[in-house]
Amino acid sequence: MQQTLTLRYVPEIDDLVELLAGCPERRRLRKRAIRSAVAILLLLSFVVWVGTVEPTSDISLPVLFLAVAFGHYALRAFAFSFRWGLRRQARAIWQGSSELQQVHEEEIGPEALTLRAQGLSCTHAWSQFGEFRESSRQFVLLDHSGEPSVVVPKRGLSDTILVPVCRTLLTEYLAGASPSGSTPRPPTAHPRPQEPGSQRDRST
């Protein structure tokens, strides 16, 4: 007989930080900034080399421009590598949502994951998820595009000995689900905010 597991918890700011940090869009922006910084550094090195070979060449303006551009992309790569800005963004989301400050209940069942809060419920079929990622504080269910979709905080379990049980159930139910391409994904447990620097808008 397949098991059902129930979790109860109040969402925390750190839950949102992990959700934001796992966004593929953030990783793409970080990689793009690193590639741009490396390319500009190579070009800057070449210009400086030309200046040493041809002392009569005035390279001060190109060097200044390339140095500023390198600093810009290096700072972007640094910002996307750490979570300082994410915590501020997550705190603003948490403080602006009364729902996130209420008790949430999650029921992990054989057919679906059911979320309940403030008298409302939302059911996610397992076919809507592709996999899950685990950290020390929670499981994060990802949709088929790799986007973080729903968090399952470990502190919501009634006992820490249930963490392996939860991991096993998630693995089993996701493995047994068939992808559904026609059913739209219901709203997620936490809002998905717009990632800074993204070229497209996403609703929260």
Side-chain angles (χ1 to χ4, degrees):
M1 182 177 180
Q2 291 180 306
Q3 186 176 355
T4 296
L5 193 61
T6 301
L7 301 85
R8 292 181 179 85
Y9 64 95
V10 175
E12 296 180 353
I13 292 175
D14 284 339
D15 299 337
L16 293 173
V17 170
E18 288 197 14
L19 201 62
L20 289 167
C23 289
E25 179 75 7
R26 180 180 175 83
R27 292 196 296 269
R28 284 194 293 269
L29 291 172
R30 176 177 176 272
K31 290 179 181 178
R32 186 184 306 167
I34 292 175
R35 287 195 298 266
S36 298
V38 171
I40 292 174
L41 181 61
L42 292 174
L43 183 57
L44 178 61
S45 301
F46 174 75
V47 171
V48 171
W49 176 80
V50 169
T52 59
V53 174
E54 300 288 342
T56 57
S57 301
D58 185 8
I59 62 170
S60 57
L61 188 60
V63 166
L64 177 61
F65 175 79
L66 290 172
V68 171
F70 171 76
H72 169 74
Y73 285 108
L75 286 175
R76 281 178 61 85
F78 182 82
F80 284 120
S81 299
F82 296 93
R83 299 185 177 187
W84 299 324
L86 292 183
R87 179 169 295 278
R88 184 171 59 252
Q89 185 179 358
R91 183 180 295 109
I93 295 170
W94 188 87
Q95 292 176 343
S97 173
S98 59
E99 180 184 350
L100 293 178
Q101 302 174 36
Q102 305 299 319
V103 176
H104 282 54
E105 181 179 286
E106 295 189 13
E107 184 178 284
I108 301 174
E111 301 299 327
L113 172 66
T114 302
L115 312 175
R116 300 185 183 91
Q118 293 184 313
L120 302 176
S121 65
C122 178
T123 300
H124 297 260
W126 292 113
S127 58
Q128 295 169 347
F129 307 113
E131 58 180 337
F132 71 87
R133 184 177 64 246
E134 181 179 2
S135 69
S136 59
R137 58 181 293 114
Q138 63 191 0
F139 300 95
V140 179
L141 292 164
L142 311 178
D143 63 20
H144 292 285
S145 66
E147 289 279 357
S149 183
V150 176
V151 297
V152 182
K154 295 178 180 179
R155 67 179 182 280
L157 297 165
S158 59
D159 197 304
T160 55
I161 63 174
L162 292 176
V163 171
V165 177
C166 185
R167 183 186 303 116
T168 299
L169 290 180
L170 291 175
T171 302
E172 176 184 340
Y173 295 156
L174 287 174
S178 58
S180 174
S182 58
T183 304
R185 186 164 58 88
T188 59
H190 299 307
R192 182 185 302 169
Q194 180 180 349
E195 185 64 33
S198 173
Q199 297 298 317
R200 59 189 180 92
D201 292 331
R202 295 181 299 188
S203 60
T204 57

